Amino acid sequence: MFLAIQLPFIGSILFFILPIPFILIALKQNMTWAFGFLFIACLLTMIFGTILALPVALLTGFPGIVIGYHLRKSRSTIKIYISTVLVLLACIIVMFGGS
């Protein structure tokens, strides 16, 4: 997360890798662990980055949790794709609406 915040060109590539830990936690553990992991990731983002980097953690965390949840439930690929896009759009709308 720190590299994605500090290095602009590498950060755009790392943005696609950041949901992987959330996917793995949601795939292996229950949802309480996944949202706890998201909370800790947001805290660490605010400590090592700035408060302005918090949307990056949320924009990678929520879709990662959704993907991991659907993979654990063995849903079809199109359901995973549609639900992830909807969650990502909802996160973007909420973050832009809150600013």
Side-chain angles (χ1 to χ4, degrees), residues 63 66-67 70 75-90:
V66 169
I67 291 170
H70 285 298
R75 303 275 166 84
S76 68
T77 307
I78 191 70
K79 286 183 182 180
I80 295 172
Y81 179 74
I82 290 172
S83 62
T84 304
V85 167
L86 290 175
V87 166
L88 187 61
L89 285 174

Side-chain angles (χ1 to χ4, degrees), residues 9-97:
F9 295 116
I10 296 174
S12 61
I13 296 168
L14 288 176
F15 186 76
F16 294 104
I17 298 172
L18 287 175
I20 292 175
F22 296 102
I23 293 170
L24 294 175
I25 291 292
L27 186 62
K28 300 292 182 185
Q29 304 293 330
N30 57 13
M31 296 311 291
T32 308
W33 276 87
F35 285 110
F37 185 71
L38 178 62
F39 178 73
I40 298 298
C42 289
L43 286 177
L44 290 174
T45 300
M46 287 189 295
I47 291 171
F48 293 116
T50 62
I51 191 81
L52 298 174
L54 185 62
V56 175
L58 294 174
L59 281 175
T60 58
F62 282 123
I65 290 172
V66 169
I67 291 170
Y69 174 77
H70 285 298
L71 286 175
R72 186 176 65 197
K73 297 293 183 180
S74 300
R75 303 275 166 84
S76 68
T77 307
I78 191 70
K79 286 183 182 180
I80 295 172
Y81 179 74
I82 290 172
S83 62
T84 304
V85 167
L86 290 175
V87 166
L88 187 61
L89 285 174
C91 287
I92 291 171
I93 288 170
V94 167
M95 286 182 199
F96 283 126

